[in-house]
Amino acid sequence: MAKDTLILAFESSCDETSVAVVKNGVEILSNIVATQIQSHQRFGGVVPEVASRHHIEWITRCIHQALETAQVDYQDLDAVAVTYGPGLVGSLLIGVTAAKTVAWAHHLPLVPINHMEGHIYAARFVGEFQFPQMALLVSGGHTELVYMPSEHEYEIIGETRDDAAGEAYDKIGRVLGVNYPAGKTIDEWAHQGQDTFHFPRAMEKEANLDFSFSGLKSAFINTCHNADQRGEQLNKYDLAASFQQSVVDVLTEKTLRALGEYPVKQLILAGGVAANQGLRERLKNEMHKNFPDVTMLQAPLKYCGDNAAMIGAAAEVAYRHGDRAGNDLNAVPGLSFPVNKKE
Ligand code: KG4
Ligand code: ZN
């Protein structure tokens, strides 16, 4: 029987400090997530410098807790993995420095991981991956369709030309007085309202795989401001439902188009916005109707947002493929696919 692979994984790209121990890429022995949301809420978004300061305070506590909860010691580990981009540079640097230090002190290999690759692998906790595969990656910073011909090969085939889907949720949430991050609340409100405003579906019918959400965001904000000026009170549940319907329509339409152009065995839905109930239900139904032979894995709700367990899941694959970083590993805030990390 093959030996188990135990990886200590670090994630600090935005506002969650997280350390996990993952066995063989699929079994989460621990996943410690220290969230800073409350510190950023009063600013209506993540303040980079505040985020870095939180990471530095929490990272060692997270390491100790992750090892203790998993009941493993440094000598049981096979590798250390870390998100080195994309993300906020000051935040990434804390995780990268901590991971490097642990790897150096304990003579362990260091495996560099792309944050978005990590989001994809969160779906590994619900089922086995099959290739060729496609992922719809929807988060606060990214909205991408990624084609994976085989394990560890990534190609972006579609992406947003302006705002990410999560960013649009957070911006319209602010107009409605919802605390950052707004996605979850807007999703809940959407289920209590109707699409009465019929906001635009940008690029929905265009023959490409790209997205755009800034027009929708502007239409939403204009509708609210105009009503304000007239002294009219709009129904917040209908506003949320109309916004969500537009986002879900476009994401679904483009994903189906991509599946028509790139035949795959499996579709992955991942990233913070993958927690959206409207999107999960709609994609499931449309896949069943249009692509019954393509299996779908949706990242578990608990692992849609940023966490180190997903980095550990991706790292097991990268480790097997020989990805290694040296002590000169740096944060790469604008890191993109394809992944190419061999020294
Ligand atoms: O992946 P993530 O945790 O961080 C980034 O890598 O960006 O995604 C966070 C984003 C936020 O914009 C948040 O509002 C959104 O995911 N989000 C949701 C839901 N839950 C979180 N958006 C829509 N519906 C949800 N249920
Ligand atoms: Zn993320």
Side-chain angles (χ1 to χ4, degrees), residues 115 119 139-141 166-167 169-170 181-184 187 271-273 275-277 304-306:
H115 178 75
H119 272 303
S139 75
E167 190 181 354
Y169 266 94
D170 296 335
K184 190 165 184 285
D187 187 13
V273 183
N276 188 273
Q277 290 304 327
C304 282
D306 294 346

Side-chain angles (χ1 to χ4, degrees), residues 225-241:
H225 283 174
N226 291 342
D228 254 4
Q229 279 170 350
R230 290 194 303 268
E232 226 179 279
Q233 182 79 30
L234 300 178
N235 182 312
K236 65 179 186 182
Y237 300 119
D238 289 345
L239 279 169

Side-chain angles (χ1 to χ4, degrees), residues 239-307:
L239 279 169
S242 304
F243 172 82
Q244 179 145 312
Q245 193 61 51
S246 171
V247 173
V248 170
D249 275 357
V250 174
L251 290 175
T252 307
E253 181 75 22
K254 287 289 166 101
T255 305
L256 297 180
R257 178 184 284 274
L259 290 169
E261 289 179 22
Y262 291 78
V264 293
K265 287 193 182 144
Q266 195 170 52
L267 174 72
I268 304 289
L269 174 64
V273 183
N276 188 273
Q277 290 304 327
L279 180 60
R280 291 173 92 89
E281 282 159 30
R282 175 75 179 283
L283 257 187
K284 202 166 113 198
N285 292 340
E286 294 292 337
M287 290 296 293
H288 188 69
K289 246 193 281 168
N290 298 288
F291 295 95
D293 298 331
V294 178
T295 58
M296 181 164 59
L297 295 182
Q298 303 193 338
L301 277 185
K302 202 173 157 201
Y303 301 105
C304 282
D306 294 346
N307 66 87

